[in-house]
Amino acid sequence: MTTGDGGPSPRRRGRPSRTEAATGPDARTRILESARTEFAERGYDKTSMRGIAKAAGVDAALVHHYFGTKDEVFAAAVEVSFEPTLELSDVLGSSTEGLGERLAGYFIEVWENPVSRAPLLAIMRSAMTHEAAAKVLRVFVLRRLLGRIAEQLDVPDATFRAELAASHMVGIAVLRYVIQAEPLASADPEKIIAMVAPTLQRYLTEG
Amino acid sequence: MTTGDGGPSPRRRGRPSRTEAATGPDARTRILESARTEFAERGYDKTSMRGIAKAAGVDAALVHHYFGTKDEVFAAAVEVSFEPTLELSDVLGSSTEGLGERLAGYFIEVWENPVSRAPLLAIMRSAMTHEAAAKVLRVFVLRRLLGRIAEQLDVPDATFRAELAASHMVGIAVLRYVIQAEPLASADPEKIIAMVAPTLQRYLTEG
């Protein structure tokens, strides 16, 4: 859900159909927002290109035009969920000093934010239960995200190490936000980051 | 799982059914095996006590007799999946020296074994998508498993630390066995254990 708690949406401009407002960069943003909401509420399997188009107030052809296939909209919706407030490139920075802490903090921040958490939860649920969604996550998302992290590293098996770091954060998300196991579910984010940062730092920098 | 591999059940009391073969420790073991298979194939939601009883060739009353509720059969099926070849108490041992390596090796072994992997995958899928299954995992399984690990530890926040360790292993299971992201999916188990063991050791022993 992207429009806050019932307040007026900053993006509300309407005109679902053939006019100017239904195309251009605004339309692309609206499609992506609708895709996130649709995937979050219905899961991968039950979300359709038509449904996304309808929710965005555009023609289904425009969704195809901007994104191609459903898998590609899904991948774009996952990626946009990972960049809610800041760019991953800023998190990665130019040095590996403090990288573990920056990545742990970034990941927790993304999950603590309900706007990005809802679609991420939906994506994980879809990927756990539908091979098509798992494949999108594997091929479009993980490969790209891990690739971006790995290319900053100067260690052997950089992708394997980036993946181990990612696995830890994924597992924390599962236990904290999905299973809601205590005491992790109620732990202060800073406490989690402080414990996890040295682990990520070791994986990503120590040869 | 508390009764070992087919040894006589300490809980054996009543005679809810008719023939000898349909009761006794063999029946209990058969019920548990059927429960694992049913949960693995149908998921938590669609598995019923009647279905488990039918698959085990016993009366539904016997399933209730041995396990109580569906949630309790589910919990027992999860626990038995975690003890395929060796007891967790042996893994924990009497000293924390090498504990990280023993736990990492144990966890990977459980997941590498197809017999235990199938029901565990089903359980995780169910817990990701159904709150009832998540609750069983949270209340019956994690609390008990983490409790058993935490009581061996001599660090502050022992349960929190045991949970961080568990989260890492859960995340590895998600990426390696569910999403099947490379290179982790094809990595040599020994390589994963070697990288992860120091992390678990730090969480579980360093104050």
Side-chain angles (χ1 to χ4, degrees):
Chain A
M1 182 56 186
T2 56
T3 54
D5 302 311
S9 162
R11 291 223 186 76
R12 180 149 73 98
R13 296 191 205 91
R15 292 314 107 95
S17 217
R18 288 161 209 101
T19 64
E20 266 294 295
T23 58
D26 287 349
R28 192 180 186 286
T29 305
R30 275 210 315 281
I31 291 167
L32 216 44
E33 292 301 327
S34 301
R36 287 175 66 181
T37 310
E38 291 286 302
F39 284 120
E41 288 176 0
R42 296 170 197 276
Y44 176 85
D45 216 40
K46 292 192 182 122
T47 297
S48 69
M49 295 292 264
R50 284 173 66 95
I52 293 169
K54 196 175 167 197
V58 301
D59 203 274
L62 198 67
V63 183
H64 285 287
H65 169 72
Y66 280 122
F67 295 98
T69 66
K70 174 176 157 181
D71 283 359
E72 287 167 307
V73 193
F74 185 73
V78 179
E79 281 200 277
V80 80
S81 300
F82 269 111
E83 308 224 340
T85 51
L86 72 177
E87 294 284 328
L88 182 59
S89 50
D90 292 336
V91 177
L92 292 172
S94 54
S95 147
T96 56
E97 200 186 319
L99 179 59
E101 189 171 350
R102 290 200 300 279
L103 272 177
Y106 166 70
F107 194 92
I108 294 287
E109 184 184 314
V110 167
W111 276 93
E112 286 293 302
N113 180 347
V115 175
S116 36
R117 186 196 304 171
L120 285 175
L121 277 177
I123 285 151
M124 284 184 58
R125 290 194 168 112
S126 295
M128 293 289 289
T129 46
H130 293 94
E131 167 54 22
K135 189 180 168 190
V136 176
L137 210 57
R138 183 167 69 228
V139 174
F140 288 88
V141 182
L142 269 173
R143 191 177 292 171
R144 202 165 348 179
L145 270 177
L146 295 175
R148 284 176 66 187
I149 297 173
E151 71 189 16
Q152 305 271 321
L153 307 180
D154 187 26
V155 284
D157 303 319
T159 309
F160 173 68
R161 284 156 168 274
E163 211 168 1
L164 276 185
S167 77
H168 198 355
M169 304 312 296
V170 165
I172 288 173
V174 169
L175 289 196
R176 179 173 167 94
Y177 304 106
V178 184
I179 313 290
Q180 296 178 23
E182 295 295 354
L184 188 60
S186 308
D188 183 350
E190 294 306 320
K191 188 174 168 184
I192 300 170
I193 294 167
M195 285 291 284
V196 169
T199 300
L200 305 193
Q201 189 70 20
R202 180 170 71 82
Y203 288 161
L204 301 177
T205 63
E206 283 170 36
Chain B
M1 178 55 181
T2 54
T3 55
D5 299 315
S9 163
R11 284 217 198 86
R12 178 147 76 105
R13 295 182 215 102
R15 275 301 115 113
S17 195
R18 291 166 206 103
T19 66
E20 266 294 301
T23 60
D26 288 348
R28 192 181 187 284
T29 305
R30 275 210 314 283
I31 291 167
L32 215 43
E33 289 303 324
S34 301
R36 288 175 66 180
T37 310
E38 291 285 301
F39 283 120
E41 287 176 0
R42 296 171 198 274
Y44 177 84
D45 215 39
K46 292 192 182 122
T47 296
S48 68
M49 295 293 263
R50 283 175 67 94
I52 294 169
K54 195 176 168 196
V58 301
D59 202 273
L62 198 68
V63 183
H64 284 287
H65 169 72
Y66 280 123
F67 295 98
T69 66
K70 174 176 157 181
D71 283 358
E72 287 167 307
V73 193
F74 184 73
V78 179
E79 282 199 274
V80 80
S81 301
F82 268 111
E83 308 224 336
T85 51
L86 72 177
E87 295 283 328
L88 183 58
S89 51
D90 292 337
V91 178
L92 293 172
S94 54
S95 145
T96 56
E97 200 186 319
L99 178 60
E101 189 171 350
R102 290 199 301 279
L103 271 176
Y106 166 70
F107 194 93
I108 294 286
E109 185 185 313
V110 167
W111 276 95
E112 286 294 301
N113 181 345
V115 174
S116 37
R117 186 195 305 170
L120 285 175
L121 278 177
I123 285 151
M124 284 185 57
R125 290 192 169 112
S126 295
M128 293 289 288
T129 45
H130 293 94
E131 167 54 20
K135 190 181 168 189
V136 176
L137 210 58
R138 183 167 70 228
V139 174
F140 288 88
V141 183
L142 269 173
R143 192 177 292 172
R144 200 161 354 175
L145 271 177
L146 295 175
R148 285 176 66 187
I149 297 173
E151 72 189 15
Q152 305 272 321
L153 307 180
D154 186 26
V155 284
D157 303 319
T159 310
F160 173 69
R161 284 154 169 275
E163 209 168 2
L164 275 185
S167 77
H168 198 356
M169 304 313 296
V170 165
I172 288 173
V174 170
L175 290 195
R176 179 173 167 94
Y177 305 105
V178 184
I179 313 289
Q180 296 177 24
E182 295 296 356
L184 188 60
S186 308
D188 183 351
E190 295 305 321
K191 189 174 167 184
I192 300 170
I193 295 165
M195 285 292 283
V196 168
T199 300
L200 304 192
Q201 188 71 19
R202 180 171 71 82
Y203 288 160
L204 301 177
T205 64
E206 283 172 35

